[in-house]
Amino acid sequence: MDSLQNAGGVAGGNVGDGMMASQMKDVAAATTADDTKQNLSQVINSIQKTLDLIHQLYLTVSSFNAASQLPLLQRLNNLVMELDNMSKLSENCNIQVPMEVLNLIDDGKNPDEFTKDVLNSCIAKNQVTKGKTDSFKGLRKHLLEELEQVFPDEVESYREIRASSAAEAKRLAQAQSTLPNGDLKIKPEL
């Protein structure tokens, strides 16, 4: 098989090797995404189980009597085991939580406020950027109108060059999003 790949690499100028490496990276990324989702799901399940154990422990402690000492010890042991399990499962998850969210939780506030504030900030910045883009488009249009009055032939040449380069850029973008068999590449959902 190696000799076949080497022969294909020599005959094809190593194009196949690059494509195979790219496909392997895509498969690895999809597998990593699936593993991450599964690990996160396991951690979430462990958190739910821990919360349930804490609730059971609360009920046992709130109505404690001498007969409930053994169930209390069993529930404490179950809680310790589940916390250990959660700790081990969390090692496989790489989730980064912003400090602002943790500070909001410590202050007794809803972490959704952080998300709302971030989204509102993004929307405001997007509006500013859109305004700047629209201003530059207006300036470009105005400059082209003024230049067309003074240099009509040069402006026409500019527009032809711009149209051909836009068509070339579109063709290249489409070529990069298709596989050798003509199928379109689909980005894996994360």
Side-chain angles (χ1 to χ4, degrees), residues 98-126:
M99 281 303 295
E100 293 88 357
V101 173
L102 297 176
N103 290 336
L104 281 173
I105 293 171
D106 285 343
D107 293 341
K109 297 179 182 173
N110 189 341
D112 290 340
E113 290 179 26
F114 174 78
T115 305
K116 184 178 83 173
D117 291 342
V118 168
L119 287 175
N120 287 337
S121 173
C122 287
I123 289 169
K125 288 179 182 178
N126 187 31

Side-chain angles (χ1 to χ4, degrees), residues 10-11 49-50 57 65 68-69 76 100 111-113 116 119 123 127 129 138 141 147-148 151 164 176 182:
V10 170
K49 189 173 180 182
T50 301
L57 195 58
N65 59 30
S68 61
Q69 185 170 357
L76 279 172
E100 293 88 357
D112 290 340
E113 290 179 26
K116 184 178 83 173
L119 287 175
I123 289 169
Q127 290 298 323
T129 303
K141 181 181 175 186
L147 286 171
E148 192 169 30
F151 305 108
S164 67
Q176 289 176 350

Side-chain angles (χ1 to χ4, degrees), residues 33-113:
D34 290 342
D35 289 346
T36 302
K37 285 182 181 179
Q38 183 179 5
N39 291 339
L40 182 59
S41 176
Q42 289 174 344
V43 170
I44 290 171
N45 289 339
S46 179
I47 291 171
Q48 292 295 334
K49 189 173 180 182
T50 301
L51 290 174
D52 185 46
L53 288 170
I54 290 172
H55 179 69
Q56 290 175 6
L57 195 58
Y58 167 75
L59 294 176
T60 304
V61 169
S62 64
S63 62
F64 184 76
N65 59 30
S68 61
Q69 185 170 357
L70 185 59
L72 176 65
L73 291 174
Q74 290 173 338
R75 288 185 176 150
L76 279 172
N77 285 333
N78 289 341
L79 179 63
V80 169
M81 287 189 307
E82 191 57 38
L83 288 172
D84 184 50
N85 182 38
M86 185 191 320
S87 176
K88 289 176 184 174
L89 290 172
S90 67
E91 291 173 1
N92 297 328
C93 288
N94 185 15
I95 299 173
Q96 298 179 1
V97 178
M99 281 303 295
E100 293 88 357
V101 173
L102 297 176
N103 290 336
L104 281 173
I105 293 171
D106 285 343
D107 293 341
K109 297 179 182 173
N110 189 341
D112 290 340
E113 290 179 26

Side-chain angles (χ1 to χ4, degrees), residues 140-148 152-166:
R140 181 180 174 277
K141 181 181 175 186
H142 178 71
L143 285 174
L144 276 176
E145 289 171 356
E146 294 291 323
L147 286 171
E148 192 169 30
D153 294 336
E154 286 81 2
V155 170
E156 185 62 32
S157 297
Y158 166 76
R159 286 187 174 142
E160 289 173 5
I161 292 169
R162 185 150 167 100
S164 67
S165 67

Side-chain angles (χ1 to χ4, degrees), residues 160-187:
E160 289 173 5
I161 292 169
R162 185 150 167 100
S164 67
S165 67
E168 179 67 20
K170 184 178 179 181
R171 186 189 65 75
L172 283 173
Q174 288 176 345
Q176 289 176 350
S177 67
T178 57
L179 296 172
N181 63 0
D183 291 343
L184 291 176
K185 289 182 185 175
I186 298 175
K187 293 182 180 177

